[in-house]
Amino acid sequence: MESGFDIVRIAEDDWPRMRELRLEMLADTPLAFLETLENARREPEQEWRFRAARTTREGSLGLAAVDPSTGAWLGTMGAYLDGKGDAMLVSVYVTPAWRGPAKGLTDALLDGVEAWVRAAVPEGRLLLHVHEQNPRAQAFYARRGYVTTGRTIPYPLDRTQNELEMALPLG
């Protein structure tokens, strides 16, 4: 397993790097996220500051994988408590050069999120929604023990497509 990254909690002042990585992720994998690249490019600084600050609130988590030599963000994951005893995994992205089990980055990010969720809702589940046409992501989650719940959600950017709900029981 490679190293060469640090996992850090996102802070409000990280908004420029959050914006840069978000634009990359929307260009790379548009069907995995709930906004378009065009809309994200138009968002003002105030919106990006809000998004970064939102990850620091109680009941929310935002993690970034950072190259310690350059400060570049290599990936991100977040989660929030849903108020019903479960948590939702969101904003999952790893830059292409750092993908794959041998790199260890995606697993390290998810390890951090899962540890946070287990501490917050030890008897709950970590839920996620993954596009039905994203088999790479589905395979990653299955390798980590996530199972489909049978629930589908219409994909907000194209209601003729679906997202599959997957869950990891924590208790």
Side-chain angles (χ1 to χ4, degrees):
M1 186 177 300
E2 290 192 24
S3 191
F5 59 84
D6 296 324
I7 304 297
V8 301
R9 188 139 189 194
I10 296 171
E12 185 173 353
D13 290 343
D14 290 328
W15 71 267
R17 287 178 286 190
M18 176 184 266
R19 180 184 187 277
E20 180 181 345
L21 191 65
R22 182 72 177 183
L23 296 179
E24 176 185 325
M25 59 203 282
L26 291 169
D28 180 74
T29 319
L31 64 75
F33 306 101
L34 303 181
E35 73 178 321
T36 64
L37 178 59
E38 295 75 28
N39 286 345
R41 282 186 175 140
R42 287 194 296 265
E43 294 292 357
E45 178 181 323
Q46 178 181 352
E47 173 63 17
W48 293 105
R49 287 183 178 278
F50 169 77
R51 291 181 187 197
R54 179 175 56 197
T55 70
T56 67
R57 293 184 187 152
E58 186 174 341
S60 294
L61 173 72
L63 297 178
V66 179
D67 179 331
S69 64
T70 66
W73 281 21
L74 308 171
T76 186
M77 278 189 199
Y80 64 88
L81 304 181
D82 70 1
K84 302 173 192 167
D86 292 324
M88 181 65 68
L89 182 69
V90 293
S91 297
V92 175
Y93 179 75
V94 172
T95 198
W98 282 90
R99 292 179 186 157
K103 303 286 185 178
L105 190 143
T106 312
D107 284 303
L109 282 166
L110 191 53
D111 288 345
V113 170
E114 288 176 359
W116 178 83
V117 172
R118 278 190 172 92
V121 287
E123 299 302 316
R125 300 174 299 167
L126 181 53
L127 302 170
L128 62 92
H129 297 149
V130 60
H131 196 281
E132 63 190 351
Q133 295 175 20
N134 193 344
R136 180 178 43 117
Q138 292 172 38
F140 167 71
Y141 296 125
R143 178 174 65 79
R144 292 290 303 233
Y146 290 75
V147 295
T148 56
T149 66
R151 184 170 179 237
T152 60
I153 299 96
Y155 178 57
L157 300 181
D158 180 350
R159 308 291 269 172
T160 66
Q161 299 178 28
N162 289 306
E163 293 186 306
L164 309 175
E165 183 178 79
M166 297 181 80
L168 178 70
L170 302 172

